[in-house]
Amino acid sequence: MEVGMLPISASKRGKLLAAGYTTLDAIARASPTHLARDIDVSDSEASEILSLATKASSALERERPNGTHTAVVGGGQTAWDMLNEEKFSSCITTSCVDLDNILGGGIKCKEVTEIGGVPGIGKTQIGIQLAVNVQIPQEYGGLGGKAIYIDTEGSFMVERVLQIAEACIEDMAEYSHQFHKDFQACDVKVHPNNILENIFYFRVCSYTEQIALINYLDKFIMENKDVKIIIVDSVTFHFRQDFDDMALRTRLLSEMALKLMKLAKKFCLAIVMLNQVTTKYVEGSFQLTLALGNWSHSCTNRIILFWNGNERHAFIDKSPSLKSASAPYSVTTRGIRNSTSSSKRIKMM
Amino acid sequence: MANKLINQMGLPKSIANIFTARNVITAKDALSHTEFELMELLDVGKEEVTSAMAHVSEVVCPPCQTALLLLEQRVRNECMAGHLPTRLKGLDEALCGGIPFGVLTELVGPAGIGKTQFCLKLSLLASMPANCGGLDGRVIYIDVESKFRSKRLIEIGINSFPEIFLKKGMAQEMAGRILILRPTSLSEFAESLHQIKVSLLQQQVKLLIIDSMAALVLGERDCGASRQQALGWHVSFIKSLAEFSRIPVVLTNQVRSQIGDESRMYSFQAQSRSIIKDNPATYDSHLVAALGINWAHAVTIRLVLEARSGQRFIKLAKSPISPALAFPFKITSSGMVLLDDDGVEMKGPEISTINCQGLSLSSLAVSSAEYFLTKNT
C-alpha cells in the first residue's frame, strides 16, 4: 500500500484510504480542491499531501529498474565503493600501540564502538584519552578534530584531562624533535588549554535528558563541524534506574542507538559508548557480562576490558571486520600506554 | 529539566495544544515515546513531530561547557581547587590535593580497621576555620551503626590540632558544627536525604559522611532485585546531591567473605578459570566489598583499608586521577597517620583485593567490647 509510505498523520491516511486513494499515482493526479473535498480537509492541507505524494512517486519512479540506471535501489552503495571509502576512513589512536594494532589502527570513524569493564579498569581513562587524542593535529598523523563528552555518571575529572593533555603535548614535541632534527624551530604550538577548550562537556542527569541531548546533537554538530568523536560515559547508567516498562526501555535504547549511528555516518565521526558490567547467573556460576547486554546488537564493535593476571587487557568481543584478539595495556599518570613501559615505582611484594 | 511543561516551551500554539490534549504534558512524557509512537498518538505528520521534538530536545538538553571552562570555574570559585585535604601528605599528593568535591569517595575495609576514625578526622577538617586550612563549614554525619563518639572526636582534635582545640570555646564550636543523623531504615534515610538537599543550599554544609552505606542497605529485609533497584535510586540521588552542591561525599562500605564459586570472569575467559582455581595464592583473598559491582561503578574514588601481616595499609583501589598506590598507616590518638608518604604502586588484582591477615586481635576485641558496653548503657 503506497499511501502508507507518506509521512502524514494516521487519520489523514485513513481518510485517503476510505476515499479510495490507494496509490500515490491516484493522489498525484487529483487536483488540490478535489482532494480537499473528497477527504474533508482544508485546501492547504490537501496541497501539502499532494506535494508529498508527487515527491514520493517521483522517488519511486527513480528506483524502478529501467536499464539505464546503474544503481538497482536508490540510496544504496556497492560493496566496491564501500571498500574504497573504508580505505580512507580515519582512525583515532588510543596511545597504546598494542591496542591500536588489534583494532586495525585505532577507534574508527563512522563506527559505533562499545567499551565495557569492571569498576576501576580504566573505562573513563580511555574515554578521556580519546577525547584528547582526537585533537592531535594532522601534521602529527591525527585528525585535528574536537570531542563531545557526554557524562551520565559524573565521573569526568578535569584535573585528569589536564594531566593527559600535557602528556600528549610532550609526546608530540618529542615526535617532532625526532623527525625534524635539522630544524631548530619545531615547537608544538598547542597549549593544554586549547585541548581543554575543544572538549564539549555535557552532564546528563536523567534518561530524558540523555535522549533530548542526542536529538539535539545533530544541530550542535552542524554548528561545530570539527567534532570527530562522541563519547558517552556510560550509556546505560540512567536506563538501569527508574524503569518499570522493559519493552519501552528497549525501544528507547534502540532508537537512541540508531540516531547515534546516523550521526556517525552523516558527520563521519567516531562514537564510543562506555558501559558498565554486571554479574549474571549462568549455568551454576556467576559470570560478568555487560549491562543491558541485548541492546548491544546495535553497536558495531565491542571491546571488553579485563584483568589478566597482573595486566589490564582489552578483548575484541565483537566486530564485523577484526578478528577476536586481546592486547595488554596500562593506565599510567600520562594516560593509556603500552603495558611494557616499566613504571618508576617498584611493585609491591 | 525533564519535568518542564511542553506548552511553556514556545512551540507553535497549534502543536502544543495537541500535546496537551493527548495528555503528553512534560518533556519526559514526550521523550519517553519514539517518534513513530508519537505520530500515532498525536495523529500528526512526521515532519511536525520531528520539528516539535527537535525543539523540545533543545530546550531540555543540558548546557554545553568546555573542559577549560569547568577547570577555570573550579579554580576561581572553590578554595583549594575543589579538594578537602586529608592532612595525610602522601594521600593528598596522590589525590591532587585531597578528597575531591562533587564526587563520591568510598572507604572499604574490615571491621575495626579505622574507617570511622578516618571519617571523624575528615569531619573535623571540614569544620575547621579557613585560616587553619579547613573548609569552615557544617558537616552532616549519617551514623547508621551508632559508632560516632564525640569523645573520640574531641580527642583526635586535641591531639592533631592542639593550637586550635585548646583555645577556649573552640572545641565546642567545632563539635557544634557537626550534625549527626541516625536513620534506622532505608526509607527513613531517603526522607532525611530530601531534607538534606534543602539544607545543603541554605546552610554552609561542606561535607556529607554516610557511615555506613552497607549497613543501611543490607539491613533491609527484602533482598535481590528490589534491593538493587532501591540502591540504584539512592546512588543516583546522592551523586546528584554531591555534584550540584559541589561538596565531598564520603561513604563507608563493609566487607563480606566471597561465596564459594563466585567467579569474576567473562564467559570468554572460561577456559582459564580452572588454572586460577587451583592457584593457592588466591585462596587467602576471600574478602569482597559488601555492596556489589553496581555500587562499585557508582563511586569515583575507592579507598581500601586492609591489614597484611599485622600492618595496616590504605590503598587507592579506584581513582581516575592517580596510580594505584598503597600507604602503610597506623591509628594513633590523633587519628590515622601514614608511616610512609611515598607509597608503593600495586599491579593487577592486588589493587582490588581486601586482606585481613594478622590484624592484631586486641584492637578488634577492644572495639567490639566498647561496642557492647555502649550498647548496654
Side-chain angles (χ1 to χ4, degrees):
Chain A
M1 209 167 341
E2 289 178 343
V3 173
M5 290 160 46
L6 289 180
I8 54 173
S9 72
S11 63
K12 280 181 196 153
R13 193 168 63 221
K15 281 175 182 171
L16 279 172
L17 289 173
Y21 292 99
T22 50
T23 61
L24 293 177
D25 212 29
I27 303 173
R29 277 166 206 279
S31 72
T33 41
H34 208 89
L35 193 65
R37 199 186 57 223
D38 274 2
I39 65 170
D40 191 26
V41 292
S42 72
D43 277 359
S44 62
E45 280 173 306
S47 56
E48 196 184 316
I49 294 175
L50 261 179
S51 72
L52 285 171
T54 12
K55 217 189 284 168
S57 71
S58 63
L60 264 184
E61 203 66 45
R62 243 181 293 124
E63 282 169 21
R64 277 185 190 130
N66 47 12
T68 52
H69 292 276
T70 45
V72 185
V73 182
Q77 195 184 16
T78 65
W80 182 253
D81 291 341
M82 271 172 87
L83 182 69
N84 280 332
E85 209 171 85
E86 269 165 27
K87 254 187 224 161
F88 296 108
S89 82
S90 28
C91 290
I92 302 160
T93 168
T94 56
S95 285
C96 167
V97 181
D98 291 338
L99 193 52
D100 281 352
N101 282 344
I102 63 163
L103 287 172
I107 303 289
K108 292 221 174 62
C109 285
K110 286 193 175 181
E111 282 186 14
V112 179
T113 309
E114 180 183 19
I115 301 178
V118 292
I121 191 86
K123 299 185 294 293
T124 305
Q125 304 286 324
I126 289 190
I128 294 175
Q129 183 76 56
L130 289 171
V132 170
N133 284 357
V134 74
Q135 302 183 41
I136 298 175
Q138 272 151 0
E139 305 94 271
Y140 298 95
L143 292 180
K146 293 179 180 174
I148 291 180
Y149 200 99
I150 302 174
D151 186 10
T152 64
E153 297 182 49
S155 51
F156 185 80
M157 302 205 84
V158 223
E159 294 96 332
R160 184 63 180 149
V161 186
L162 193 64
Q163 277 177 1
I164 292 181
E166 279 166 355
C168 181
I169 290 172
E170 275 171 33
D171 284 358
M172 281 195 283
E174 199 173 297
Y175 174 89
S176 70
H177 202 72
Q178 276 180 1
F179 280 78
H180 312 271
K181 270 189 182 133
D182 343 331
F183 300 107
Q184 287 297 310
C186 54
D187 290 338
V188 182
K189 288 185 197 75
V190 197
H191 191 262
N193 281 2
N194 300 42
I195 289 188
L196 292 188
E197 213 169 14
N198 287 335
I199 298 175
F200 301 112
Y201 172 82
F202 290 92
R203 172 74 174 102
V204 168
C205 300
S206 67
Y207 78 89
T208 325
E209 281 186 19
Q210 193 170 338
I211 294 172
L213 175 60
I214 282 159
N215 287 342
Y216 168 68
L217 279 184
D218 191 70
K219 194 177 166 192
F220 184 84
I221 299 172
M222 284 285 216
E223 289 159 7
N224 301 278
K225 284 267 187 204
D226 291 337
V227 172
K228 281 290 161 217
I229 192 168
I230 301 176
I231 299 144
V232 191
D233 178 15
S234 79
V235 72
T236 52
F237 180 69
H238 290 303
F239 288 90
R240 296 175 70 187
Q241 265 98 54
D242 52 79
F243 255 104
D244 301 323
D245 185 350
M246 294 302 154
L248 173 69
R249 177 167 88 178
T250 314
R251 280 204 302 280
L252 289 177
L253 269 170
S254 58
E255 203 199 15
M256 193 178 76
L258 274 179
K259 277 180 186 155
L260 282 171
M261 224 177 277
K262 233 189 230 169
L263 285 176
K265 293 269 181 314
K266 187 173 170 190
F267 298 104
C268 186
L269 44 81
I271 302 230
V272 174
M273 298 190 283
L274 307 178
N275 198 357
Q276 305 180 334
V277 298
T278 181
T279 45
K280 195 173 157 190
Y281 195 71
V282 185
E283 292 161 14
S285 67
F286 284 100
Q287 280 191 349
L288 290 175
T289 159
L290 295 197
L292 306 181
N294 55 343
W295 94 285
S296 52
H297 285 297
S298 40
C299 53
T300 329
N301 306 304
R302 189 192 306 148
I303 302 168
I304 292 179
L305 309 176
F306 66 101
W307 284 110
N308 187 1
N310 281 340
E311 276 181 325
R312 293 166 208 255
H313 274 239
F315 173 77
I316 300 182
D317 189 42
K318 175 193 163 190
S319 164
S321 57
L322 304 166
K323 53 175 189 253
S324 97
S326 74
Y329 70 96
S330 69
V331 179
T332 68
T333 25
R334 299 165 64 82
I336 307 285
R337 291 292 182 269
N338 259 356
S339 81
T340 40
S341 63
S342 56
S343 63
K344 270 175 259 158
R345 296 175 192 267
I346 36 154
K347 204 188 146 232
M348 193 165 156
M349 302 209 310
Chain B
M1 284 298 232
N3 292 324
K4 249 188 183 167
L5 299 177
I6 285 183
N7 57 13
Q8 291 174 2
M9 287 184 181
L11 276 177
K13 200 83 192 147
S14 54
I15 191 102
N17 287 343
I18 299 178
F19 273 103
T20 319
R22 300 297 149 131
N23 208 20
V24 181
I25 308 294
T26 63
K28 188 175 178 175
D29 296 339
L31 289 164
S32 299
H33 290 96
T34 61
E35 275 177 16
F36 186 72
E37 285 170 341
L38 277 178
M39 267 173 76
E40 290 283 314
L41 185 69
L42 305 179
D43 194 21
V44 290
K46 183 161 183 271
E47 226 165 90
E48 282 100 326
V49 169
T50 321
S51 73
M53 288 317 287
H55 184 84
V56 170
S57 298
E58 200 177 334
V59 175
V60 173
C61 115
C64 168
Q65 289 163 300
T66 65
L68 181 65
L69 205 72
L70 279 179
L71 188 71
E72 283 172 348
Q73 267 175 8
R74 225 149 271 184
V75 171
R76 190 159 10 100
N77 298 346
E78 284 160 15
C79 45
M80 291 165 274
H83 291 275
L84 166 63
T86 60
R87 301 282 179 106
L88 302 171
K89 198 168 152 258
L91 196 62
D92 281 347
E93 268 167 25
L95 289 173
C96 292
I99 311 281
F101 292 6
V103 296
L104 307 193
T105 303
E106 183 195 23
L107 301 168
V108 197
I113 191 89
K115 299 188 295 289
T116 305
Q117 303 290 324
F118 193 65
C119 291
L120 290 176
K121 184 76 171 274
L122 284 179
S123 37
L124 274 179
L125 287 166
S127 64
M128 279 205 319
N131 55 15
C132 307
L135 295 180
D136 199 15
R138 288 169 192 276
V139 176
I140 294 183
Y141 196 111
I142 298 179
D143 181 27
V144 184
E145 293 166 311
S146 301
K147 276 192 195 156
F148 189 91
R149 294 281 171 281
S150 301
K151 207 174 146 200
R152 177 71 178 132
L153 181 84
I154 303 291
E155 190 193 354
I156 294 177
I158 289 175
N159 285 306
S160 13
F161 315 105
E163 68 285 356
I164 305 168
F165 269 80
L166 292 177
K167 255 189 234 165
K168 203 167 175 276
M170 275 310 259
Q172 193 191 347
E173 197 188 326
M174 296 281 142
R177 287 178 173 182
I178 301 168
L179 176 74
I180 292 115
L181 294 176
R182 287 193 168 148
T184 51
S185 70
L186 203 56
S187 54
E188 203 182 314
F189 171 67
E191 216 168 276
S192 51
L193 268 187
H194 282 290
Q195 287 171 7
I196 288 169
K197 192 180 181 181
V198 178
S199 66
L200 280 186
L201 298 172
Q202 294 163 353
Q203 315 271 340
Q204 280 281 308
V205 176
K206 293 284 176 164
L207 176 68
L208 174 65
I209 292 178
I210 302 173
D211 182 23
S212 79
M213 196 65 198
L216 203 58
V217 178
L218 302 179
E220 290 294 291
R221 219 170 294 138
D222 55 337
C223 54
S226 57
R227 183 200 279 169
Q228 278 302 333
Q229 210 168 17
L231 182 62
W233 181 87
H234 284 93
V235 170
S236 18
F237 193 87
I238 298 171
K239 283 193 89 151
S240 66
L241 208 66
E243 214 174 329
F244 291 106
S245 48
R246 291 291 307 163
I247 58 165
V249 174
V250 178
L251 313 106
T252 64
N253 191 354
Q254 301 164 339
V255 290
R256 63 173 171 83
S257 48
Q258 199 160 1
I259 304 162
D261 183 35
E262 198 177 0
S263 77
R264 294 263 163 226
M265 288 189 193
Y266 301 98
S267 47
F268 66 81
Q269 286 174 287
Q271 58 269 45
S272 59
R273 185 185 301 167
S274 52
I275 306 162
I276 292 194
K277 214 186 261 177
D278 297 337
N279 190 350
T282 54
Y283 181 73
D284 279 335
S285 58
H286 55 276
L287 289 178
V288 291
L291 298 173
I293 196 162
N294 291 344
W295 165 260
H297 276 298
V299 297
T300 308
I301 293 178
R302 170 175 268 189
L303 298 169
V304 169
L305 285 78
E306 62 163 19
R308 244 181 291 125
S309 32
Q311 178 59 57
R312 296 175 202 227
F313 286 92
I314 182 164
K315 298 196 295 193
L316 274 162
K318 181 189 180 191
S319 161
I321 43 181
S322 82
L325 294 174
F327 301 94
F329 74 92
K330 63 174 199 246
I331 300 282
T332 65
S333 56
S334 62
M336 185 188 282
V337 176
L338 294 189
L339 299 174
D340 177 12
D341 281 325
D342 283 334
V344 261
E345 189 158 340
M346 299 168 297
K347 289 229 169 70
E350 195 192 338
I351 294 172
S352 45
T353 51
I354 304 166
N355 293 300
C356 184
Q357 304 162 351
L359 181 63
S360 62
L361 276 172
S362 57
S363 76
L364 274 178
V366 167
S367 61
S368 54
E370 187 193 34
Y371 180 67
F372 281 114
L373 276 175
T374 46
K375 226 183 173 187
N376 293 334
T377 48

